[in-house]
Amino acid sequence: MTTTGEDHARALTGPWWWARWRSAVLDGALAVVSAVECAAEGIPFAREAGIPVSAGIVFGLVAGSVLLVRRKWPLAVVLVAIAITPAEMGFLMGVVGLYTLAACELPRRVIGSLAGMSLLGTAIVTFVRVRQDMARGDLTLGDWFVPFAAVTTALGLTAPPVLLGLYVGARRRLMESLRERADSLERELQLLAERAEERAEWARGEERTRIAREMHDVVAHRVSLMVVHAAALQAVARKDPEKAVKNAALVGDMGRQALTELREMLGVLRAGEDAGRRSAEVPLAAVGEAAAEAASRAAAVDLEAAGAAEGPCLSELEELVGQSAAAGMVVDLSVEGEARSYVPEIEQTAYRVVQEALTNVHKHAAGAKTHVRLAHRMSEIAMQVENEPPSEPASASAAGLPSGGNGLVGMRERVVALGGVFVSGPTDAGGFRVSAVIPAG
């Protein structure tokens, strides 16, 4: 990870305007060298100007020390360097000042103007000094050498630091842009990780709700039939042993079926818990890994839901009605339209609606005659379970079946999730009707 954002701000630990201590030390060393250079160059300047040598040294020390503030006020450093150019002082300060100025985030016209002034000043001073040396006889070259020396010296002291400063400034701005982009990507990855975690949590909640409905349907129906058969077994155990044996066999078959279905559902739950435990034991090493892990967990939940979605189908509806009839319910099944296959979700929902409705009849209207109707239409499938009033008012609770109050809610959720319509309520004759229509598209 790079030092970005708040971490980068906390990394600024230098004194005053320096970001780091090493920057302050570097500027201090440059200022000391520049001050010594200017002080040494101030001696011949003082002699030529006719002022005390000590004044020239002090002037050089003060002028050279300006390099200490090159990061804070680069304009001031370059202006001072240009001002003392006629005195042939501050060559180091001029070079470092131009480099710092070009590397700063200043308008290019300002950098170009000050660089041009420095170039012109250096060229003029060099031109005058070389011409004086040739006039004194120190140099015996031709007149061509004077402008050549002025131009090359001015370019040599101005162009390299300006070009290097422009390159370093552009690279620094590029790194800053990359740092900001890294911050933005890190925030986006964090947001993606949070959203992936939310999607995974939502998928887990949906799966828990689905499994809860499945377990309710299985337990309520199977166990209700087992209780009804057990009550019948208790009633006929002494009077009709053969029928008691038959009822006992039915109870055993239903119990085994219920255990098988419950074992499959609990296996899905256990697999989900193991996956969650493994993800909790291994911490996420980075934000990107968090997003990938959460997305994979959400995909795993979807796969588990798809695997667990394989349930009963409409071809088993006659067997379902037969189980209720074997438990003593007077029930008839009528099918309208041409039977055809539907997607597994539709067939499972239709089956569960009929199953839960028959379970409710066992619980609340035992002994009542029940009509189950299934209609295959062009673009939808409709089902209706209607029971008449029980023949004996006390028979509704004869078996002592409890009610959790979630059956109708679960049926409505199943049907509405597929875009269907679910209606339930008492009939005028005193019975109860459950109706559902599910699109088959």
Side-chain angles (χ1 to χ4, degrees), residues 17-18 27 31 65-77 100:
W17 57 82
W18 286 284
D27 288 356
S65 337
V66 176
L67 195 59
L68 186 66
V69 297
R70 71 181 184 93
R71 297 178 191 267
K72 185 71 173 179
W73 297 294
L75 285 173
V77 174
T100 306

Side-chain angles (χ1 to χ4, degrees), residues 170-242:
R171 183 176 180 276
R172 186 180 300 158
R173 287 188 290 272
L174 175 62
M175 295 301 295
E176 193 68 26
S177 174
L178 292 176
R179 184 180 292 113
E180 293 177 357
R181 186 176 300 178
D183 284 342
S184 176
L185 289 176
E186 186 174 352
R187 287 191 295 269
E188 290 179 4
L189 285 174
Q190 183 68 33
L191 182 60
L192 287 175
E194 293 175 356
R195 289 181 177 177
E197 288 289 350
E198 292 176 358
R199 288 196 298 270
E201 184 63 29
W202 175 83
R204 286 193 292 268
E206 287 294 314
E207 179 65 5
R208 284 193 295 267
T209 303
R210 191 194 66 80
I211 293 178
R213 284 199 301 263
E214 289 290 327
M215 294 182 68
H216 173 270
D217 292 341
V218 171
V219 172
H221 182 71
R222 301 290 186 190
V223 176
S224 296
L225 291 180
M226 290 170 63
V227 172
V228 171
H229 281 291
L233 176 62
Q234 184 179 7
V236 301
R238 296 182 180 179
K239 299 179 181 179
D240 192 349
E242 184 177 351

